[in-house]
Amino acid sequence: MELSNIEKLLEKYFEGETTISEEKELKVYFTRETVPSHLERYKDLFQYFSEESQVKATRGLPLQSGTKNSRYMWIGVAASVALVVGLFVSNLAPNQQENLGTYEDPEVALQKTKEVLNLVSQYMNEGKGGLVYLNEFENTKNKFIK
């Protein structure tokens, strides 16, 4: 086989672009006794692949019984049944009008909204009280930096 062809195949091989037949050509080439000196480093690699492709498993793998798998299967079946029953029961309940917190009178709605926003404002102001210490820290830090 031509040396330049082998070098091109090696480049393709290391880029992962070779076909199985091209890889077989490389294995055959590198299992020969005479290989050019600049390609000697690849000889061990391809010989290893050739030898390892002949290795066969000598002992069997014991298979476990299906008790663990059947448990998971029954748990899945039970969860599915529970889900279906839950959906069925929830659809049987009479459709009741829920109180969604809406008000018929716009004035009452405005008043309740103001109360809620006032409550939020109070909590925000309480949280903002601790930020005064950060301002002091910033001033002290600036003194040390200057």
Side-chain angles (χ1 to χ4, degrees):
M1 185 172 289
E2 203 174 301
L3 183 61
S4 62
N5 188 23
I6 291 297
E7 290 172 347
K8 288 178 187 176
L9 282 178
L10 273 174
E11 287 178 26
K12 283 178 63 178
Y13 178 79
F14 288 118
E15 290 175 9
E17 298 173 352
T18 55
T19 62
I20 294 176
S21 63
E22 290 172 336
E23 289 179 16
K24 285 182 182 178
E25 288 179 37
L26 285 172
K27 284 181 186 177
V28 167
Y29 182 80
F30 282 106
T31 52
R32 296 187 333 192
E33 292 294 322
T34 57
V35 175
S37 60
H38 69 284
L39 298 177
E40 278 288 326
R41 59 185 170 174
Y42 303 119
K43 185 175 182 177
D44 292 334
L45 176 74
F46 286 101
Q47 284 180 346
Y48 173 77
F49 290 151
S50 295
E51 291 169 6
E52 289 300 312
S53 66
Q54 304 300 322
V55 173
K56 300 224 187 259
T58 56
R59 65 176 194 166
L61 297 174
L63 297 177
Q64 296 180 356
S65 64
T67 57
K68 202 179 259 190
N69 290 339
S70 65
R71 279 188 218 147
Y72 289 126
M73 181 187 70
W74 285 112
I75 289 172
V77 168
S80 300
V81 168
L83 181 69
V84 169
V85 168
L87 290 174
F88 182 71
V89 169
S90 67
N91 285 337
L92 286 180
N95 290 337
Q96 297 176 357
Q97 192 69 348
E98 293 182 23
N99 183 8
L100 300 176
T102 58
Y103 298 97
E104 296 292 327
D105 186 17
E107 293 297 324
V108 174
L110 178 65
Q111 185 63 32
K112 292 292 184 178
T113 304
K114 284 183 180 179
E115 289 175 13
V116 170
L117 289 176
N118 190 16
L119 184 65
V120 169
S121 173
Q122 288 174 0
Y123 285 129
M124 292 290 284
N125 287 335
E126 286 177 12
K128 198 169 81 173
L131 295 177
V132 173
Y133 299 115
L134 287 177
N135 194 15
E136 281 298 316
F137 176 74
E138 186 70 25
N139 291 338
T140 307
K141 181 187 81 165
N142 288 338
K143 286 181 185 176
F144 284 117
I145 290 175
K146 291 180 182 178

